[in-house]
Amino acid sequence: MAGARNGNGDLSFEADLFRAADKLRGNLEPSEYKHVVLGLIFLKYISEAFEAQRAKLEQEEFADPEDPEEYLAARVFWVPDIARWSYLKDNARARDLDIIDPVTGNKKRVDIGGLIDAAMEAIEKANSTTLKGVLPKDYGRPALDKEMIGDLVELFSDITMHTEGEKSRDLLGRAYEYFLSGFAGAEGRRGGEFFTPRSVVRVMVEMLEPFKGRVYDPCCGSGGMFVQSEKFIEDHSDQRNVDEAKRQISIYGQERNHTTWRLCKMNLAVRGIDADIRWNNEGSFIRDEFSNVKFDFILANPPFNVSDWWRESLSEDIRWTAFGAPPQGNANYAWLSHIYHHLAPRGTAGVVLANGSMSSQQSGEGEIRRKMIETDAVDCMVALPGQLFYSTQIPACLWFLARDKSANGHRARRGEILFIDARKLGVMADRTRRELSDDDIALIASTYHRWRDKDGDYSDVPGFCKVARADDIEKHRYSLTPGLYVGTQASDQDESEFEEKVSELTASLQGMFEASRDTDVTVLKALARVSANG
């Protein structure tokens, strides 16, 4: 994880902790180990929050430190004796410890793994409204090395040696987020299913500025969009009124993967974020948990180019009313339609999608994109640099949608779309992955704000940003690829135009060769080689 500071501030503490924990992993797969580690960080966090609140109550004349309601009122989880970190630390090397099972009420003998499982059960039972079914409870399984668990308990016990109170809990929250990132990197493609790189999320949040209203993510993964939304409020609010400022937003999310949903619930709990996060195994298309709700801000990083999303029950869905039914073989435009449908009258959205979504003419996608442009649904397009994501090497872009571009507290910008080409930004965080720096993020966000704001001093920057109108976009067959509009040095411009021409030719051929699939595949492969060698 060397170099992970780029775009993330000073992360030396988290990086050191991650390296120390990773040394204890042994032969355990990262996909399995992450649940062991993240569960312990969660336990440590809620125990510290509980102890801090308990200390406050002990100083108050009429407060009762043994009343769970006193903790609930302060948005702090009640932690039973068996789950308090001090008890776990004292028994980190336990092999034969007699406890009372929090579920059955019977005596049982456990090792440190069994004790942590009992702690998780006790916490879920005491906080069933928010934590039921969320916490991992398989630390006692025979295959898990109990020495390793004891080592981890002692490692995380040292966090309080750095700082105390609120700052200590903030360290734990930062550690949880950093560990999610670290495990996503270790898992590669699978890691991207639950984690969006922090620098990408920060670009989206800084551009949309979710200060007040409902914030939604229809495929929320481990909750990174929500963590950064609250972090944005913390960074841009009067420090004396941060808690009040946070109460101005409400958070909603849906996640299809149950394991990832649990990670999200713990991630938000560690950060003290209240949220309505729902799970079902059908997903947001088939079973939309918030079908009747509109949102002020939507941030999403849906899986790219999903082919098996369609069901016949969706054929007349209300979400396709604005732009028409999306292609059944690729969910990219289904996500855009779903998100646009859920925007409040003045809502805005940021969506991560594969670059192909900006110019594809396949299966009616070009026609849907034309309708989106004519409807004035698209506010801004950002081309991102390569190698930002754990899960894919496919180049990605950001779509920003708006329900109302007439003003909405900003400058009236009907008929305009801002194009930003950020492909040359970022620095390499390690051998394989790039990150956007703080300066990169500020440049992208401020460019958007200068264009959008009433008093902005925006001007086009050749090679980086350009405002285009609908008639300009029509000339390019409604392609939304920023490189076509921003202009560049001659060599780069030629390359961009060449790539676009190849893309358009490919799309045309795909339509022409519908009846001859073998010929289609042959020509497309040849075009791909031409593009690669261009």
Side-chain angles (χ1 to χ4, degrees):
M1 297 301 295
R5 298 183 188 190
N6 298 311
N8 296 328
D10 182 8
L11 291 176
S12 58
F13 160 73
E14 293 94 317
D16 290 345
L17 192 63
F18 182 80
R19 281 192 291 268
D22 198 45
K23 286 180 181 178
L24 301 175
R25 179 165 63 89
N27 295 323
L28 210 57
E29 288 295 321
S31 58
E32 187 177 4
Y33 189 55
K34 74 169 179 282
H35 298 293
V36 175
V37 171
L38 294 172
L40 288 176
I41 294 178
F42 174 83
L43 267 182
K44 182 70 159 59
Y45 172 85
I46 65 167
S47 185
E48 291 216 351
F50 173 85
E51 295 295 350
Q53 180 63 14
R54 185 184 184 87
K56 288 181 183 178
L57 294 174
E58 288 173 346
Q59 300 300 314
E60 297 177 11
E61 184 177 356
F62 299 107
D64 180 4
E66 298 304 320
D67 181 4
E69 294 297 324
E70 297 269 19
Y71 297 82
L72 181 62
R75 298 166 67 190
V76 172
F77 292 109
W78 172 261
V79 181
D81 289 346
I82 195 173
R84 294 174 191 172
W85 192 264
S86 56
Y87 185 65
L88 299 179
K89 180 183 177 184
D90 290 344
N91 291 284
R93 303 300 173 184
R95 289 293 183 181
D96 296 294
L97 181 67
D98 291 323
I99 64 168
I100 302 297
D101 189 313
V103 177
T104 66
N106 299 326
K107 282 186 177 181
K108 63 185 296 188
R109 183 163 290 181
V110 297
D111 55 21
I112 180 58
L115 176 58
I116 292 172
D117 287 342
M120 297 291 192
E121 294 279 10
I123 290 169
E124 282 198 4
K125 185 176 179 181
N127 305 275
S128 58
T129 304
T130 52
L131 293 179
K132 185 177 181 180
V134 170
L135 306 184
K137 295 178 285 290
D138 53 0
Y139 289 83
R141 65 186 187 274
L144 203 56
D145 180 2
K146 303 308 182 289
E147 284 295 319
M148 176 196 70
I149 296 176
D151 290 341
L152 285 170
V153 170
E154 292 182 348
L155 175 65
F156 294 140
S157 295
D158 289 340
I159 293 177
T160 49
M161 294 170 61
H162 293 260
T163 185
E164 295 294 334
E166 292 290 338
K167 290 184 178 179
S168 177
R169 296 200 300 284
D170 181 58
L171 284 178
L172 284 162
R174 286 166 47 192
Y176 192 98
E177 182 184 9
Y178 189 89
F179 274 51
L180 279 171
S181 171
F183 287 124
E187 290 185 57
R189 182 176 179 81
R190 289 179 58 193
E193 296 175 4
F194 64 83
F195 187 82
T196 303
R198 186 181 181 190
S199 67
V200 175
V201 180
R202 284 186 58 205
V203 169
M204 299 167 72
V205 170
E206 291 286 341
M207 289 178 71
L208 292 182
E209 300 181 303
F211 276 115
K212 183 177 181 180
R214 292 172 170 169
V215 179
Y216 168 61
D217 185 343
C219 42
C220 63
S222 56
M225 300 288 185
F226 306 136
V227 170
Q228 288 304 317
S229 293
E230 291 239 342
K231 183 72 167 60
F232 171 82
I233 292 173
E234 290 174 5
D235 292 344
H236 295 81
S237 299
D238 185 332
Q239 292 305 301
R240 294 167 296 181
N241 300 307
V242 169
D243 288 341
E244 178 61 32
K246 287 183 180 180
R247 284 193 282 272
Q248 299 298 307
I249 66 168
S250 304
I251 288 173
Y252 303 81
Q254 181 168 343
E255 174 54 44
R256 183 176 184 175
N257 183 300
H258 189 260
T259 301
T260 303
W261 171 80
R262 288 165 56 192
L263 285 178
C264 180
K265 295 278 283 186
M266 286 194 290
N267 189 19
L268 299 185
V270 163
R271 305 304 298 230
I273 297 174
D274 288 335
D276 184 354
I277 309 298
R278 302 185 189 180
W279 165 82
N280 68 58
N281 60 11
E282 295 172 297
S284 292
F285 292 137
I286 309 300
R287 190 170 150 201
D288 185 356
E289 291 284 348
F290 302 99
S291 57
N292 297 317
V293 186
K294 301 295 184 181
F295 301 96
D296 301 288
F297 303 96
I298 301 178
L299 300 122
N301 176 20
F304 295 173
N305 303 321
V306 173
S307 60
D308 60 349
W309 71 279
W310 179 262
R311 301 293 182 276
E312 282 304 316
S313 60
L314 295 172
S315 58
E316 301 295 328
D317 197 284
I318 191 173
R319 290 170 288 184
W320 322 142
T321 304
F323 313 124
Q328 299 178 14
N330 190 314
N332 288 345
Y333 278 82
W335 284 115
L336 290 171
S337 296
H338 172 91
I339 287 165
Y340 187 77
H341 170 78
H342 274 290
L343 283 177
R346 292 190 170 188
T348 52
V351 189
V352 186
L353 283 177
N355 268 6
S357 65
M358 297 189 289
S359 59
S360 171
Q361 301 290 339
Q362 298 180 55
S363 306
E365 288 182 339
E367 179 64 15
I368 295 175
R369 194 167 54 254
R370 178 185 67 79
K371 290 179 180 177
M372 293 182 73
I373 293 165
E374 292 177 349
T375 307
D376 228 1
V378 183
D379 203 30
C380 176
M381 299 295 299
V382 180
L384 294 172
Q387 296 179 272
L388 287 176
F389 294 86
Y390 298 104
S391 56
T392 179
Q393 293 302 311
I394 297 174
C397 62
L398 300 179
W399 289 66
F400 289 90
L401 309 181
R403 268 286 183 179
D404 182 4
K405 291 163 66 176
S406 63
N408 192 11
H410 305 296
R411 182 181 65 82
R413 54 201 189 281
R414 289 194 192 96
E416 297 180 3
I417 296 177
L418 174 65
F419 291 93
I420 298 176
D421 190 344
R423 290 178 296 171
K424 294 183 179 179
L425 301 183
V427 293
M428 295 304 293
D430 53 41
R431 277 188 313 105
T432 60
R433 200 173 59 81
R434 182 178 294 273
E435 286 184 345
L436 295 168
S437 70
D438 290 343
D439 289 343
D440 295 333
I441 294 166
L443 175 62
I444 296 169
S446 64
T447 300
Y448 176 63
H449 295 157
R450 288 199 307 272
W451 168 71
R452 184 188 65 175
D453 293 352
K454 289 179 179 177
D455 301 321
D457 57 348
Y458 171 84
S459 59
D460 293 339
V461 177
F464 179 66
C465 60
K466 168 78 175 179
V467 175
R469 301 195 63 83
D471 53 350
D472 299 324
I473 299 168
E474 182 181 2
K475 294 174 185 175
H476 291 287
R477 299 184 65 203
Y478 298 99
S479 171
L480 293 176
T481 304
L484 288 173
Y485 303 95
V486 301
T488 50
Q489 295 177 356
S491 59
D492 290 339
Q493 186 170 0
D494 291 344
E495 179 184 352
S496 175
E497 290 176 353
F498 175 79
E499 290 174 355
E500 183 64 18
K501 286 176 181 176
V502 170
S503 176
E504 291 179 1
L505 181 57
T506 301
S508 298
L509 284 167
Q510 282 169 328
M512 291 169 57
F513 295 142
E514 286 274 321
S516 179
R517 187 60 56 190
D518 290 340
T519 304
D520 189 10
V521 170
T522 301
V523 174
L524 288 175
K525 286 181 177 178
L527 277 170
R529 288 195 296 272
V530 172
S531 180
N533 296 325

